[in-house]
Amino acid sequence: MAKLYGIVYAVLVLLTGVTVAVAHFDLGAWSVVVALGVATAKALLVAFVFMHLLESPALARAALVVGLLWFGLLVLLTMGDYGTRTYVEVALGGQGSGEPAQRGAQGRLEVGVSVGKAGLE
């Protein structure tokens, strides 16, 4: 078992070196892909060898799979939300007059917009 730990340790050190090397080279969009792939490989090595998931019951491995799927779903939903946002530029100033916003006595930004019965005026 000690020999396996030594091999896994050496592989983790090698993968850390790959991560550092990738940070020094411009691979464009592939930099993130390679870095995440190396990080995933290191995490799986640690989980399966040092946390003994290989010898664990099937329920422990199922918990790992479900956790990874849940994490992937959250990332996917977050990226979907971020990718479909629209941004509205708001003009600061006195009621659309083109005046710049002013700083008040306490340094707060004061904008000349009032809220009436029908909402923003």
Side-chain angles (χ1 to χ4, degrees), residues 10-64:
V11 170
L12 288 172
V13 170
L14 178 75
L15 289 174
T16 301
V18 170
T19 302
V20 171
V22 167
H24 287 31
F25 293 108
D26 184 21
L27 300 176
W30 284 99
S31 294
V32 174
V33 174
V34 171
L36 287 175
V38 170
T40 301
K42 291 190 314 187
L44 289 175
L45 274 173
V46 169
F48 281 113
V49 176
F50 293 119
M51 296 174 68
H52 305 286
L53 278 179
L54 287 175
E55 299 94 22
S56 294
L59 185 60
R61 288 189 296 254
L64 172 73

Side-chain angles (χ1 to χ4, degrees), residues 25-120:
F25 293 108
D26 184 21
L27 300 176
W30 284 99
S31 294
V32 174
V33 174
V34 171
L36 287 175
V38 170
T40 301
K42 291 190 314 187
L44 289 175
L45 274 173
V46 169
F48 281 113
V49 176
F50 293 119
M51 296 174 68
H52 305 286
L53 278 179
L54 287 175
E55 299 94 22
S56 294
L59 185 60
R61 288 189 296 254
L64 172 73
V65 170
V66 169
L68 290 175
L69 289 174
W70 180 251
F71 176 72
L73 178 66
L74 290 177
V75 169
L76 184 69
L77 291 173
T78 301
M79 291 298 106
D81 174 52
Y82 181 75
T84 58
R85 289 183 181 207
T86 57
Y87 295 94
V88 178
E89 291 188 29
V90 178
L92 297 177
Q95 296 188 7
S97 63
E99 301 171 15
Q102 302 294 320
R103 295 270 175 195
Q106 297 172 334
R108 294 189 182 122
L109 192 63
E110 295 178 356
V111 181
V113 176
S114 61
V115 178
K117 294 178 186 175
L120 290 176

